Amino acid sequence: WIKNTGTRGLAFKVKASAPQRYFVRPNAGTLSQGEAMTLLIAMQPAARTQVASQGPDVAENDAFIILSLPVDGPLPLPPAQLVAMVRVPLLIQRSAGPLCALPSTN
């Protein structure tokens, strides 16, 4: 899951280094202040077959990044506006603390 730990709304987009191998839902969205959301990340069936036949090294370096951008105004944003926001290059100025938190593995 991801959680908005900031004081403003947040738009996010999940990107994968090998998008053809993974199914990510939702891959973009908005979070109000303090809101959390579960993300589903699963390997596509064709990629599982490839990993099974070629070994786990095929996907060893796959990575994910969550792009985020503070949003002012009402949430959720209309899908077209959200897509427009995450397609532009993002310059994120960080405040004292994370905008988005991932669960601890401890």
Side-chain angles (χ1 to χ4, degrees):
W1 55 266
I2 61 172
K3 181 177 182 179
N4 179 359
T5 60
T7 58
R8 298 164 61 188
L10 185 70
F12 71 90
K13 169 79 175 149
V14 181
K15 308 233 1 147
S17 61
Q20 72 282 2
R21 276 198 267 261
Y22 296 94
F23 174 85
V24 180
R25 291 295 180 266
N27 62 2
T30 57
L31 296 168
S32 298
Q33 178 184 358
E35 183 180 6
M37 180 182 293
T38 298
L39 298 177
L40 170 66
I41 300 175
M43 189 172 274
Q44 299 279 10
R48 285 195 298 258
T49 303
Q50 180 186 23
V51 169
S53 65
Q54 297 179 8
D57 293 345
V58 171
E60 182 178 11
N61 293 320
D62 292 352
F64 299 89
I65 187 169
I66 300 174
L67 303 174
S68 62
L69 182 68
V71 176
D72 291 320
L75 295 177
L77 295 173
Q81 186 178 355
L82 178 61
V83 169
M85 286 180 67
V86 296
R87 282 192 178 161
V88 298
L90 299 179
L91 175 61
I92 302 172
Q93 294 195 2
R94 310 253 338 167
S95 61
L99 295 174
C100 183
L102 297 176
S104 172
T105 56
N106 297 335

